[in-house]
Amino acid sequence: MPTYARADLAFERGEGARLWATDGRRFLDFSSGIATNAVGHAHPHLVQAICEQAGRVMHVSNLYRIPEAERLAARHVDASFADSVFFCNSGAEANEGMVKAMRKTMAETGRPERWRIITFEGAFHGRTLAMLAATGNPKYLEGFGPKVDGFDQVPFGNLNAVRDAITPATAGIIVEPVQGEGGVRPATLEFLRALRATCDEFGLLLGLDEVQIGMGRSGRLWAHEWAGIEPDVMSAAKGIGGGFPLGAILAKEHVAKHLKPGSHGTTFGGNPLACAAGNAVLDIILAPGFLQRVDRVARHLWRALVALKDRHADLVEEVRGAGLLLGLKLREPATNTDLQERALAEGLLTVAAGQNVLRLAPPLIITEAEADEAVDLLDRALVRLRASLPEPVAAA
Ligand SMILES: *Cc1c(COP(=O)(O)O)cnc(C)c1O
């Protein structure tokens, strides 16, 4: 179906942060399959784990115990705020399950009238019917019938608006610690702490969507760790399978215990093959020093991007983001898609995001030299972009 405006480009091989196209061109991949190839392409440990598991048993269904899933869940529990994990296949599915868990917790604790969720402008929670409503972007909702009820959207970062939106029907709040698709906008750590405090004050549940910024991309395993808070429930996907489809709901016991047999499920979710991939990715990301290295490279890239912005202040308004989810906000008439196209021509893959932002989401294994190379390629792309603009842009 014509659902995607695809670039006329196909890849036949990858290694680390590099991709080779079928026409022989080589690219530096700062898109990572949209923040998904967390450990880069063809990582030998991940490849071996998938191949070995595929040769043993790939899928059995959740009618039986799955040791690979039990092990992966236990390791995620050990490494996070969570007491319990549910595996699924995608970010949207994890978010759907998170909303169900929040509503069910309210229903099972004598507050069934509390079923609505507060979400934020600029959010992205996925493409299912309910997650379109949680996302609230009119562009995505158009033509798909009445918006699913149960989501109340307020401006991102505005605590007064959050407090005003709380009613006797509110079950909780769902927020991305860093909005990805919406324009690489981080919530301030104060805002995340204030949301936690507000949930505690009103007896609400805090749900975090860490599908994009989670799994090490922020420089900590989960981005909320920077704020020193814990959610009640959290969704994950993208990076947790390193490119193999895997999603997860992580929750505290006081939420998880209400999802009794029959209340939720999935056929593929958490199958042996997906969990073998998940375990291999965890082996790499939890190895001593890995996350510190991500943090170091991310700070290096940030500084280089700020210098790039200063050199091209007529085209680049701002560097934003956190960890290895960074964005360049462009000044009109320069657009993110123009720069994305020019960067691709220079050999760098990037992703557009909302608010005229060019998103950089490299694999977490990049080196400082690769970060510098990406900034050089962006430098050249910006020069070409300037030359292509209809008339000289006044210096900022
Ligand atoms: C990508 C994304 C989703 C949706 O994930 P899918 O796997 O595409 O369903 C949800 N939330 C956030 C923050 C995302 O970045």
Side-chain angles (χ1 to χ4, degrees):
M1 294 188 190
T3 44
Y4 305 103
R6 299 177 192 272
D8 184 18
L9 189 61
F11 301 103
E12 59 184 13
R13 188 166 66 85
E15 191 183 320
R18 307 278 168 187
L19 275 173
W20 283 264
T22 47
D23 61 10
R25 281 185 294 167
R26 188 182 84 146
F27 292 88
L28 183 58
D29 185 8
F30 269 47
S31 64
S32 307
I34 316 189
T36 294
N37 298 102
V39 298
H41 299 283
H43 192 293
H45 183 65
L46 177 58
V47 170
Q48 187 188 358
I50 289 173
C51 290
E52 286 182 3
Q53 188 63 47
R56 277 198 297 271
V57 59
M58 199 179 302
H59 178 83
V60 293
S61 96
N62 285 300
L63 297 171
Y64 311 103
R65 287 182 60 178
I66 299 175
E68 297 78 11
E70 290 178 10
R71 172 155 179 266
L72 183 59
R75 297 175 77 195
H76 271 300
V77 163
D78 276 350
S80 75
F81 73 97
D83 300 312
S84 200
V85 183
F86 177 90
F87 291 114
C88 56
N89 310 285
S90 72
E93 192 186 357
N95 282 330
E96 289 272 343
M98 176 158 72
V99 170
K100 282 179 72 177
M102 291 166 84
R103 289 184 179 180
K104 192 75 163 173
T105 300
M106 288 296 165
E108 296 283 314
T109 54
R111 298 167 288 174
E113 73 287 354
R114 289 195 171 274
W115 62 281
R116 304 187 68 84
I117 308 284
I118 295 172
T119 63
F120 293 93
E121 291 171 8
F124 183 79
H125 298 301
R127 301 285 196 154
T128 59
L129 289 168
M131 288 311 110
L132 287 179
T135 294
N137 185 336
K139 205 173 73 190
Y140 300 153
L141 283 157
E142 172 70 36
F144 296 113
K147 187 167 127 182
V148 170
D149 195 13
F151 299 94
D152 300 305
Q153 211 166 37
V154 300
F156 189 55
N158 186 332
L159 189 65
N160 288 335
V162 171
R163 296 178 68 94
D164 283 348
I166 296 171
T167 72
T170 305
I173 300 170
I174 292 182
V175 65
E176 293 159 84
V178 179
Q179 289 189 338
E181 303 291 323
V184 193
R185 276 201 299 179
T188 64
L189 300 183
E190 296 73 46
F191 185 62
L192 293 175
R193 289 180 196 126
L195 291 180
R196 179 68 272 176
T198 303
C199 284
D200 293 342
E201 181 183 343
F202 290 88
L204 307 179
L205 298 169
L206 180 61
L208 295 181
D209 178 343
E210 292 224 19
V211 167
Q212 189 153 164
I213 190 62
M215 200 60 188
R217 188 157 291 280
S218 74
R220 302 262 182 105
L221 187 58
W222 303 108
H224 63 264
E225 295 170 20
W226 289 104
I229 59 157
E230 292 188 339
D232 299 290
V233 55
M234 180 181 84
S235 59
K238 291 198 166 90
I240 70 170
F244 197 93
L246 178 65
I249 312 166
L250 288 82
K252 292 277 205 193
E253 179 64 13
H254 70 91
V255 171
K257 69 179 179 190
H258 301 299
L259 290 176
K260 298 193 184 88
S263 63
H264 195 52
T266 157
T267 298
F268 292 120
N271 81 13
L273 189 56
C275 290
N279 274 308
V281 172
L282 260 193
D283 291 341
I284 298 160
I285 288 182
L286 292 182
F290 184 90
L291 288 171
Q292 288 90 319
R293 223 187 50 82
V294 171
D295 187 48
R296 202 165 58 237
V297 175
R299 287 170 197 270
H300 179 87
L301 178 58
W302 174 274
R303 282 191 296 270
L305 288 172
V306 169
L308 179 79
K309 180 208 73 170
D310 291 344
R311 287 198 297 282
H312 298 278
D314 56 329
L315 301 178
V316 183
E317 188 179 318
E318 192 188 3
V319 180
R320 46 159 89 166
L324 286 177
L325 183 58
L326 297 175
L328 295 179
K329 180 167 169 58
L330 299 187
R331 274 183 214 284
E332 300 278 353
T335 69
N336 54 355
T337 47
D338 284 342
L339 183 57
Q340 182 186 19
E341 216 174 281
R342 302 283 176 325
L344 188 140
E346 296 294 335
L348 179 70
L349 303 177
T350 59
V351 203
Q355 301 193 332
N356 205 18
V357 169
L358 187 76
R359 182 173 15 166
L360 305 175
L364 307 184
I365 46 92
I366 57 158
T367 61
E368 294 189 359
E370 285 166 333
D372 290 339
E373 187 185 338
V375 174
D376 283 346
L377 297 172
L378 283 169
D379 203 344
R380 282 191 242 164
L382 281 162
V383 169
R384 284 183 192 260
L385 176 59
R386 182 179 296 104
S388 76
L389 289 174
E391 56 202 71
V393 198

